[in-house]
Each structure stands twice: as C-alpha cells, then as structure tokens.
Amino acid sequence: MSFEKFYVHNGQSWPLEQVPVMDEASFRREILKSCETGGRLVNLFGYHAQDKNLYLCAVIGMDQEGKLSVFAARMPGGQVHFESLTPVLPQAHLFEREIAEQFGIIIQGHPWLKPVRSHQDYSFYEIRSEETHEVAVGPVHAGIIEPGHFRFQCHGEEILNLEIQLGWQHRGVEKMMAEISLERAMLVAESIAGDTVIGHGTAFCNIIEALSDTEVPLQAEMIRIIALELERLANHVGDMGALSTDIGFLPVSAYFGRLRGEFLNLSMELCGSRFGRSLCRPGGVLFSLGPEMIEDFRRRLLKAQKDFMEIAELFFSTSSVLSRLESTGRISRQTAEELGLVGPAARSCDLERDVRTDYAFGMFRFQHIPVSTVVSGDVYARALIRRLEAQRSIEFLLEALDQIPSGELLKKPSALKPSHMALSLVEGWRGEIAHVAITDAQSRLMRYKVKDPSFNNWIALSLAVRGAQISDFPLCNKSFNLSYAGHDL
Amino acid sequence: MFSVILHVSFALFFSPLLLGVVAKTKAFFAGRWGPPLLQPWYDIVKLFRKGSVYSTTTTWVFKLTPVAVLATALLSCIFIPLGTLAPPVYFWGDALFFVYLYGLMRFFLIIGAWDTGSSFEGMGASREAAFSCLSEIILFMDLILLVMVSKSLVLCNMLNTSFFSSWASMGPVLILVVISFFLVLLVENARIPIDDPNTHLELTMVHEVMVLDHSGFDLGLILWGSAVKFFVLGSILISLFIPRHESFMAGMVFFMVGMALLALTVGVVESIMARLRLNSVPHLLTGGFVLALLGFIVILLKGM
C-alpha cells in the first residue's frame, strides 16, 4: 500500500481527517522510508481519538527541503504490540519508550524499554566486576540545579557507561494542558521549562492561533522574536560563563555572569519579567517597545556586543581553556544524525538544523538569521557555537530594532476549530521545540503533545562521556545544559 | 616551651589571612570586591560554634582525621623558621621527618575519606594518593638540592638567612628549586591549576571531596589545618628570599611582605588560567620533577 504524503507547514492547522491513517506495518515502513531519504523524526506520539481508538502519529521533518509530513496509524482494538523502530532507527528510542509508558503498549524488540519518567520496578544497568566501581550522583545535587540521577560505571577514572534517570520534575503538563482553560494553559506552557519561557510560550501561542485562524499582528510577531533572541542570548552567555566556572577560569565566568544579567534586564524592561513571562499571549503580545526604549535597547545592546566580543576573545584565546575544552566529550556527526539531535548540540556536530531557517516561523519568514555550524562536536564546539549564535543574535536584534512595524499588538483569537490538528515548531535556545495539539468535536483540546529539545538531546550526553574521564562529566553536562523540567514535563 | 607556643600561635593566627589574600586577589580579577580579608577567620569561628554531623557508616577513624590534620600541620610548623622566629625544635634529619609529617596527614585524610564509604570520597582519595606520589618526589628533590647547597640536613640551617648569600653562587639551581617548589605548594594545597578549591562539583574535586562529609567543628579543624599547611610550605619558599638583616622587626617585615606576595602570586595564577584536565596533572608534576632534577645535575656538574 502506498499513501499520498500529507505535507503541512509550521504553525498551520488542518482537519484531523486529512491526516493519512494507515495500519501499523505501513506506518512503520513509512517512517523508515522517510528517514532514509533525509527525514528526521520530529515527533512520534500516541493519542486516543474520539472513537476511543488509539492512534500513533508521526511528524517527519525533511530539513533540507523544509517540508513536514504527518501521518498516523490506528492501533486495532485490543492490540497492545508494536514492533520497535529503534533497532533500525535509533532516534525513535525515547519516543517509543514514552509511548510504552503512556499507553501501555508493548514495544517489541526495543533494546532498552525502560520507563521514561516513572521509577518503579527499575534496576540500573550494572557491571559486576571487582575492577570497576559505580558512582551515583543525584537526584539532589550540590548546586542549585534540577533533580536528575546519574549512574556511572567506571574503571578508575574512565567512564564505561552512564545511565541517566530523569522524571523527578514530572508535573503532568501534557494532560493538564488538555484539561484546563486556555488562559491557564498559557501559563502552564510558559512554565514547561523555566529558562525557555518565550520558546514554549511562542510555540503554544502559534498552536492556538493556528487552531483559531488568528492572524497575528506583525508588531507582535516582531516583539516575539526579539524576546526569543534575548532569551537565547541570556542563556548562551550564561552557559559560556558556567563553562568557565567549571574549568575554574574565574574572570571570564564573572564577566559572562554579569553580561547574562544585562540581557535578562532587557527582557525585564520589555515585559516586566527577567525570564520573559507574560509577554506572549495567543493573538499577539502584551508589551511593545516605544521609540525611547528602542534607542535605549540599541545603546545597551551595542555596549553588550562590545563587552561580549572582548570576553569571548579572552575565553577562546586562553590556551589552558582550550586544552580543557578541545576533544572533551566528542560526538561524531554520524552519531548526532542517528540520535536525531537538535539545536546547538546538532549544529556543533556539523548538522545544519535550525527551525528558524528550515521551517521559518513568525517573523523569521521575512527576516533571516544565518545558521552557524561547527565541525568538531566536542565541548569546544558547543562553546564556540554559542559564541557564534550569540554574535548573530545581537546583530539580528540590532537590525530588528529598526524594523518594528507599527499597528496592533494583540488580536483576540476566536474559538478553536473542532477536530483539527495543529503543529508548531520553534527554535528555542536549546533547539527545536515541537508542540502538537488536537481538538475534539467540541473544539476542546483533546491531546497536547510537547517535545522539548532536551528530549532529543539527553542521550547524547551519556554517549559523549562514554570513555571520557569522570572528572570531565560536569563540563560535558554543562556544555549541553539540558532541561530536566522540559524533559519530564 | 614558650617558643613552641609562640611559633604555633603565630602560624595559627596568620595562616587564615593568607587564604584571605588569595580570595581577595581572585575577586579583583573577577571584577568583584570579594569577601573581607578576615573571612577565613570568620568561617573558622563560625564552624567552631557548630556541632558536627556524623554518618552512621563512619567510625572513630573519621572523627580522628580532623584532629590528625591540624596536629600534623602544627607539628610541621615548629621545624621551620617563621621570619625571624627561629624554629624551637630541630634535630639532624628533621627535613625527612617534616616531609613524612605531611605523609601522615595525607594518610589520615585518605583513611578518613574511605571510612565514609562514599564513592566520591574514594575517588578523591585515589586522586590525592596518585598526585601526592609525584609531588612528594619533587618535594624530596627540592630538599636534596637545599641540603646540597646548605650542606646540612637540618631544616633551620637550610632556611636561615645566611642561605640568601647562596643566590650569588647557586642562582640558577635555586630558581629551579623555587619553580618546582611553587608547584608542590599548589598541589599540596589543592589550588588551580591542579585542583579547584571553589568548585561545587564533587566529580572534579581532589582535596575538597575528601573532606566533604566533615561538618561543623571537625570541618573547622580541617580548614585551619589546611591553612597552616599552606602557611608552612609558603614560609619555606619565602625563607629562601629573606636577605641578611639587622633587626628582628626588619626580618619580620620581609617575611610578612613575602608571604603576602606569595598569596598574591597564587591568586594571580588562579585567575589567569583554567584548571588542568585531571589526567594531565601528572604531566605537569613530572615536568616539575624534571626541573628539580635539572638543578641536581647542575649541582653535580658544579662539583658542589
């Protein structure tokens, strides 16, 4: 059986019945075929339709062509088996584990069907040997960070295996989204990951706007991406500071820390929250920049740009820093591709993946931001990609400040369309944020699927440190700086 | 007896200040004001007013460690001149005794760490043991050089002010001694680039992780002991630079200024470079040993 491909755009909604529905075997074949021809698994999730049947839905992104295809499979009633894609398509591993956990499906042939977020009846992978030792770190950590458990199997200082156990931050976001009012859902979306407020907030807004056919005023679109880039800047600069803290390079860590504050303060002045809360609302934004503020922003951005260049230059020209970063925690391009990494983690492995250009959303449809890539895939590359992206973001912001359109800020969205599906991808600072929503016949949200970039990238951390020194783990971890809350939902 | 008490109290009082100077220097480079100079003192006083918490897996070994650390540090200080204060105790071969006192301190730190049964502390202990193997060789090599220059195996003769005149004849050798000894100072006191005293990341720590389970009063003893160790090793280095002087006060001023400059140097080193990768620390230490060895060869060629 062959199906006509159903292509959708980022930030678009479509009637649910348009999604091609196939049987389980062709669904599997279709995914594999798409992924062989340059596709990438953007999302794979299950939902209960109103006919009480369970469906699996795949979103495949053809990054090079900028096309997104959507298709689904109806799981026959009573059947709880699905043949695993993971042995042939490693990037499906966590999606399948999630489906197994959420819907009780048995994924046959999955090499590692461990629960994603619950910890019941699970024993860690271990090596029984006199020569190796086990180190357990967390879930409570020394710094002020989120809870996660890391189990190392080491031979002396060398890490043989790292198993990451997450789920302590599970709040039931996806289920909550479908049960609460849209006003509250907006607040929940902003809280999916505390450092990606604008990213997840914009993704949620795009979904609601797509489902209600709301045309967002251009000024609002512009403010959104200005806030998005400010968020990226604050986090990238903060990460570079954190990297220098971890290697004990004090001056740079202090200066980057201060600089991060500058960008957070700009968000603060834009919307009253350093982390961008209550800026994005379905239909637009709540705040804008007046002419005086624009001037002030420009002045401060120019100052920050100058400081950033100087400090980054110091950081990247100190030989003791480079010797610490280079060839630590390397991920090959092939591994990155197989794991389906996204965001800076992928771009530091020479993979050109950026939602801002591949599936341009909002104002990025008119304003392009060049994609940066680095080849080496190590901690150095992940530091360098942050520097390059931060530089590009500042330049972009300076340009964007000139071009803020006038007009409305907020257009109240109308009611949601019944039995529709919508997809929204946003390039948050960590990478591709994917939200998918399905409404029922009564126009209520029936299923809301969130995928934070951390969901794709956590596995990369455990592979990056394999064979590395255990004392380098904190550095590798910081170089990815993934979200626990975003993964645990 | 009085001179011993004077010597020990001098070290006890001034050693935390040294750490204060290091912290201030680092803060300056980071563009901050930093903690007050007396902060290490405040910390020790604060810790002494607290109770200690003991894990149920630990035994008396764990409780002995802090006492042993401070005791060995104080014992080591009575063999070396502190500025114009001559060492109250000396005997032939006390240089060897001195080195092994630090061996003893390390022994107690390591078994104290093992006693907790924590995987972090075990890793820290193994790192400490591995690095100290190398730093001990450098320390010995430096002492051998000093012995050969001063022709005495007694620390107070090696480090007294008449030594300063040797710079004219033995300058190059002494420079090698100073560089390699500075390295020993950094390793023994867990400073950057070997260890990071400020980090909160257990997996990367060397010295800090071994005392992770100590708290309150016990931690205070360990902090104080480490400060004294820094002070003592530092004063050996500074003693090499104190010129012949007339008055008691002049010698003391030389010493104190020298110590402050040393703390400043340590602070600068910590500020301008990142920490080494753990597995390249042995390379650095081997390099330090080679420098000391070079000095040895020079002395041999010079025919003493």
Side-chain angles (χ1 to χ4, degrees):
Chain A
M1 264 196 299
S2 120
F3 295 88
E4 186 150 343
K5 290 220 171 180
F6 177 61
Y7 290 113
V8 298
H9 290 293
N10 183 10
Q12 191 198 3
S13 70
W14 57 91
L16 199 51
E17 64 262 19
Q18 280 186 13
V19 176
V21 175
M22 42 194 92
D23 61 65
E24 182 214 316
S26 351
F27 179 69
R28 198 172 172 280
R29 210 165 38 240
E30 187 66 27
I31 292 180
L32 292 178
K33 206 170 77 193
S34 317
C35 288
E36 267 165 31
T37 51
R40 180 173 58 85
L41 206 51
V42 172
N43 220 334
L44 176 65
F45 62 98
Y47 65 92
H48 283 291
Q50 280 198 306
D51 57 9
K52 302 288 177 219
N53 278 325
L54 174 65
Y55 290 80
L56 294 185
C57 178
V59 181
I60 304 281
M62 314 293 267
D63 296 334
Q64 297 307 319
E65 302 156 46
K67 281 178 175 171
L68 290 158
S69 74
V70 178
F71 47 93
R74 184 189 294 111
M75 305 300 282
Q79 187 191 346
V80 284
H81 292 270
F82 178 75
E83 201 191 332
S84 175
L85 294 159
T86 308
V88 234
L89 190 70
Q91 53 178 304
H93 78 110
L94 198 54
F95 292 111
E96 291 188 332
R97 279 165 53 188
E98 190 186 39
I99 290 169
E101 187 176 52
Q102 288 180 340
F103 298 96
I105 296 180
I106 294 165
I107 309 281
Q108 281 171 330
H110 193 292
W112 194 38
L113 202 57
K114 111 179 214 190
V116 182
R117 295 173 182 118
S118 85
H119 312 138
Q120 282 163 353
D121 306 323
Y122 178 74
S123 52
F124 287 91
Y125 175 77
E126 61 179 322
I127 302 174
R128 287 208 184 85
S129 158
E130 288 283 303
E131 276 182 48
T132 60
H133 63 108
E134 188 177 83
V135 183
V137 186
V140 180
H141 296 280
I144 311 167
I145 59 167
E146 297 176 81
H149 181 81
F150 302 91
R151 189 72 67 101
F152 298 91
Q153 307 295 333
C154 296
H155 183 247
E157 295 278 334
E158 185 193 349
I159 302 173
L160 299 178
N161 186 55
L162 161 63
E163 186 169 348
I164 303 171
Q165 174 77 57
L166 300 171
W168 276 273
Q169 298 274 68
H170 182 53
R171 295 144 291 160
V173 168
E174 290 181 353
K175 197 151 190 296
M176 211 189 310
M177 294 292 261
E179 286 168 358
I180 55 184
S181 66
L182 290 184
E183 287 76 18
R184 278 185 66 198
M186 180 69 231
L187 300 182
V188 172
E190 284 184 332
S191 316
I192 288 170
D195 48 17
T196 320
V197 176
I198 301 289
H200 279 288
T202 307
F204 175 78
C205 291
N206 288 350
I207 287 276
I208 299 302
E209 286 146 10
L211 283 174
S212 61
D213 280 336
T214 308
E215 204 162 306
V216 185
L218 280 179
Q219 188 180 3
E221 295 273 32
M222 196 62 165
I223 296 292
R224 274 184 194 171
I225 62 168
I226 287 177
L228 188 69
E229 293 309 305
L230 277 177
E231 184 171 86
R232 190 182 321 280
L233 274 167
N235 282 297
H236 278 3
V237 170
D239 281 351
M240 288 171 72
L243 281 174
S244 11
T245 313
D246 280 8
I247 57 175
F249 194 42
L250 222 60
V252 170
S253 118
Y255 288 121
F256 273 138
R258 179 186 67 78
L259 210 52
R260 169 175 179 263
E262 299 284 324
F263 295 120
L264 291 178
N265 287 347
L266 289 179
S267 296
M268 168 86 185
E269 275 173 40
L270 174 59
C271 65
S273 157
R274 277 157 58 89
F275 297 98
R277 283 173 191 269
S278 50
L279 175 68
C280 303
R281 286 295 175 267
V285 292
L286 294 184
F287 304 93
S288 182
L289 292 169
E292 276 170 32
M293 276 178 84
I294 291 176
E295 264 325 294
D296 186 45
F297 266 50
R298 187 195 321 285
R299 198 174 43 76
R300 287 160 66 177
L301 276 173
L302 282 170
K303 175 88 175 53
Q305 184 180 34
K306 192 169 150 283
D307 288 352
F308 177 77
M309 300 293 255
E310 279 169 16
I311 305 165
E313 188 52 39
L314 172 64
F315 185 69
F316 284 100
S317 62
T318 306
S319 54
S320 58
V321 170
L322 295 183
S323 83
R324 203 69 176 74
L325 303 185
E326 277 172 358
S327 69
T328 304
R330 175 162 283 165
I331 296 270
S332 69
R333 188 181 196 275
Q334 192 198 346
T335 311
E337 204 156 15
E338 280 175 3
L339 295 177
L341 300 192
V342 294
R347 292 193 285 277
S348 65
C349 300
D350 201 22
L351 287 179
E352 220 170 287
R353 283 180 187 169
D354 191 327
V355 178
R356 289 175 293 176
T357 36
D358 297 344
Y359 313 104
F361 54 95
M363 213 54 177
F364 286 120
R365 283 170 298 186
F366 315 112
Q367 311 251 344
H368 292 287
I369 191 160
V371 183
S372 325
T373 55
V374 184
V375 181
S376 57
D378 47 10
V379 175
Y380 168 77
R382 290 188 283 276
L384 187 60
I385 195 83
R386 289 186 162 93
R387 176 194 188 175
L388 297 174
E389 291 192 13
Q391 261 169 261
R392 296 258 158 96
S393 286
I394 299 182
E395 284 160 18
F396 178 82
L397 280 177
L398 285 170
E399 250 177 62
L401 283 177
D402 281 333
Q403 302 162 356
I404 302 179
S406 53
E408 278 183 295
L409 268 187
L410 190 70
K411 199 183 242 172
K412 197 101 189 92
S414 47
L416 304 187
K417 291 180 286 185
S419 300
H420 268 61
M421 189 180 210
L423 165 71
S424 162
L425 303 183
V426 169
E427 183 76 16
W429 65 274
R430 270 195 195 94
E432 177 194 83
I433 297 167
H435 287 207
V436 183
I438 304 170
T439 55
D440 61 13
Q442 288 77 40
S443 300
R444 285 178 314 222
L445 284 179
M446 177 173 85
R447 171 85 168 116
Y448 199 91
K449 177 81 193 97
V450 179
K451 192 216 67 183
D452 187 83
S454 308
F455 194 80
N456 301 84
N457 289 357
W458 268 112
I459 187 74
L461 172 61
S462 56
L463 291 186
V465 299
R466 198 171 277 184
Q469 301 272 303
I470 190 167
S471 57
D472 281 338
F473 169 73
L475 189 60
C476 289
N477 187 21
K478 200 62 63 83
S479 74
F480 284 98
N481 192 12
L482 299 171
S483 170
Y484 300 67
H487 171 277
D488 293 347
L489 296 177
Chain B
M1 189 62 204
F2 172 73
S3 56
V4 172
I5 294 176
L6 183 69
H7 222 72
V8 166
S9 9
F10 188 82
L12 277 177
F13 182 76
F14 282 105
S15 55
L17 285 181
L18 217 53
L19 295 179
V21 176
V22 176
K24 223 30 180 182
T25 316
K26 287 172 78 172
F28 171 77
F29 273 89
R32 295 182 288 115
W33 278 111
L37 219 50
L38 287 177
Q39 189 60 47
W41 254 117
Y42 299 153
D43 287 344
I44 289 172
V45 171
K46 176 190 75 185
L47 288 168
F48 277 0
R49 289 161 59 179
K50 291 189 170 189
S52 297
V53 180
Y54 298 106
S55 143
T56 49
T57 59
T58 56
T59 62
W60 58 271
V61 174
F62 182 75
K63 294 181 187 170
L64 185 63
T65 305
V67 184
V69 167
L70 186 59
T72 45
L74 289 179
L75 200 55
S76 73
C77 96
I78 61 176
F79 293 101
I80 51 154
L82 299 175
T84 336
L85 290 178
V89 179
Y90 55 89
F91 51 84
W92 190 83
D94 61 3
L96 299 179
F97 186 74
F98 176 85
V99 176
Y100 281 111
L101 273 178
Y102 284 141
L104 192 65
M105 179 196 276
R106 195 169 295 122
F107 172 76
F108 276 109
L109 269 173
I110 289 176
I111 59 169
W114 283 349
D115 199 37
T116 61
S118 142
S119 50
F120 295 136
E121 302 223 7
M123 278 196 302
S126 87
R127 288 169 187 167
E128 174 95 359
F131 294 165
S132 61
C133 281
L134 294 164
S135 79
E136 217 168 73
I137 303 178
I138 311 179
L139 188 55
F140 263 119
M141 205 66 208
D142 284 341
L143 283 176
I144 289 172
L145 292 176
L146 292 181
V147 166
M148 290 172 97
V149 171
S150 66
K151 305 201 171 43
S152 165
L153 204 54
V154 182
L155 271 172
C156 69
N157 291 340
M158 287 154 62
L159 301 172
N160 68 12
T161 48
S162 60
F163 185 88
F164 189 73
S165 53
S166 318
W167 274 93
S169 53
M170 287 293 180
V173 175
L174 290 181
I175 289 175
L176 292 174
V177 170
V178 168
I179 296 174
S180 55
F181 195 86
F182 186 68
L183 204 58
V184 172
L185 184 86
L186 294 180
V187 182
E188 291 287 329
N189 295 295
R191 314 301 309 190
I192 287 174
I194 289 90
D195 194 358
D196 183 358
N198 293 110
T199 185
H200 65 274
L201 306 163
E202 305 97 332
L203 292 175
T204 68
M205 294 175 180
V206 182
H207 177 79
E208 293 297 308
V209 75
M210 297 209 303
V211 301
L212 212 56
D213 283 49
H214 290 283
S215 55
F217 189 81
D218 287 1
L219 185 60
L221 288 179
I222 288 182
L223 288 187
W224 215 354
S226 313
V228 171
K229 186 182 181 186
F230 186 28
F231 187 77
V232 169
L233 285 172
S235 52
I236 291 183
L237 194 58
I238 295 306
S239 295
L240 302 181
F241 292 101
I242 298 183
R244 198 180 289 275
H245 47 81
E246 299 305 319
S247 70
F248 179 83
M249 277 318 285
M252 230 41 201
V253 169
F254 264 120
F255 178 69
M256 297 304 273
V257 171
M259 290 300 271
L261 284 177
L262 176 72
L264 207 69
T265 316
V266 171
V268 172
V269 168
E270 292 207 0
S271 303
I272 59 170
M273 69 184 299
R275 194 184 157 185
L276 282 177
R277 196 176 293 210
L278 212 55
N279 53 357
S280 45
V281 170
H283 304 168
L284 179 72
L285 294 180
T286 315
F289 174 70
V290 169
L291 288 183
L293 192 67
L294 210 61
F296 186 67
I297 293 170
V298 171
I299 287 196
L300 286 185
L301 290 180
K302 265 190 108 169
M304 310 288 278

